[in-house]
Amino acid sequence: MYYRSIVPAIALMLATTVQGLWVPPDDKVPTERLIENLQAQLAATPDDPHLLARLGRIYSLRYSLGERDVDVRKDRSSGNLSLYEKGNGYPSNRHHLEGEAIIERISDLHKALAYYEAAANAKSSDEKEAYIWLGLGYVRDEMSHAAAFLAAPLATTEDDELRVLFRTAWEDRALEAYQEAIGTKQAIDGDFLTPPVELEAARYVKIILDARKKNSRPHRDLLKTADKIIKSTVG
């Protein structure tokens, strides 16, 4: 009798735990519909750094991945939508756009950058969460690739002097934001599960700085910090 009664109890506990860890999305909508919904929310609270960052996030995804339907969470009382973020992280296909694709989507990257910059600079009594700085770093990182191409679209090599100038300038700005993401004191991470925000930022820091032939002392220190984060997190 004891075993018969305890098994359903354990099953219920496990089900409750799993449900708490993973809740499925409520719907799938076009990115444009999500943007319109978020902009309507922002109209009521225009200085909300979280809404600004959410708009930056969806525009950055649309730049990288193109127009598509996305999973969302829906507040049943207000009808407000938010991007379903569980375990998404940022797109791994960094700098994959070339030529015409950059030209066609650059306005989305501009909007992503504007919203993330606004989120990072929004007046708030709370310290900015790490995911805002990660998002800002990511769009600045993408801009380093796009701006290099747009500065010299006819260049035949990435070592073209003008491309290097624009790419390095935007990479340096990306590194500033990634450093904030790594160094933030708050544990809130914008509803990400995996990978952790500081690990995501550390990986991008390492990609940028490992590719350079020479780094400044502050950048060498940042690279050491990134290496420690990666080793302590993934071994």
Side-chain angles (χ1 to χ4, degrees), residues 64-152:
S64 180
L65 305 176
E67 176 63 53
R68 60 174 57 199
D69 290 352
V70 292
D71 291 329
V72 296
R73 300 299 307 276
K74 183 176 183 178
D75 185 291
R76 299 190 184 282
S77 60
S78 66
N80 289 344
L81 301 178
S82 60
L83 183 66
Y84 180 79
E85 287 281 18
K86 296 294 186 183
N88 282 346
Y90 279 76
S92 59
N93 48 353
R94 172 181 176 269
H95 295 184
H96 72 291
L97 296 184
E98 300 292 345
E100 289 298 323
I102 292 177
I103 295 172
E104 290 172 0
R105 300 185 194 176
I106 192 64
S107 64
D108 283 331
L109 188 59
H110 282 159
K111 291 173 184 175
L113 181 62
Y115 277 118
Y116 269 123
E117 293 280 5
N121 292 308
K123 294 180 180 180
S124 174
S125 59
D126 299 326
E127 185 176 0
K128 300 298 187 304
E129 284 86 345
Y131 83 100
I132 292 178
W133 294 109
L134 175 62
L136 179 57
Y138 177 80
V139 294
R140 286 177 176 178
D141 197 351
E142 282 297 303
M143 188 62 81
S144 73
H145 178 68
F149 166 75
L150 294 172

Side-chain angles (χ1 to χ4, degrees), residues 180-195:
E180 291 288 345
I182 289 172
T184 185
K185 295 179 181 179
Q186 286 216 9
I188 301 172
D189 63 1
D191 207 25
F192 283 85
L193 284 183
T194 55

Side-chain angles (χ1 to χ4, degrees), residues 5-79:
S5 62
I6 197 172
V7 170
I10 292 174
L12 178 61
M13 289 173 61
L14 288 173
T16 303
T17 301
V18 170
Q19 186 178 11
L21 290 174
W22 184 82
V23 179
D26 296 315
D27 200 358
K28 185 182 284 287
V29 302
T31 55
E32 192 59 39
R33 180 182 166 191
L34 176 56
I35 287 170
E36 290 174 357
N37 187 282
L38 288 171
Q39 287 175 335
Q41 296 177 52
L42 186 64
T45 53
D47 293 325
D48 187 329
H50 306 289
L51 287 174
L52 290 165
R54 287 172 186 171
L55 278 159
R57 168 70 161 149
I58 191 62
Y59 273 115
S60 70
L61 281 175
R62 196 161 76 167
Y63 170 77
S64 180
L65 305 176
E67 176 63 53
R68 60 174 57 199
D69 290 352
V70 292
D71 291 329
V72 296
R73 300 299 307 276
K74 183 176 183 178
D75 185 291
R76 299 190 184 282
S77 60
S78 66

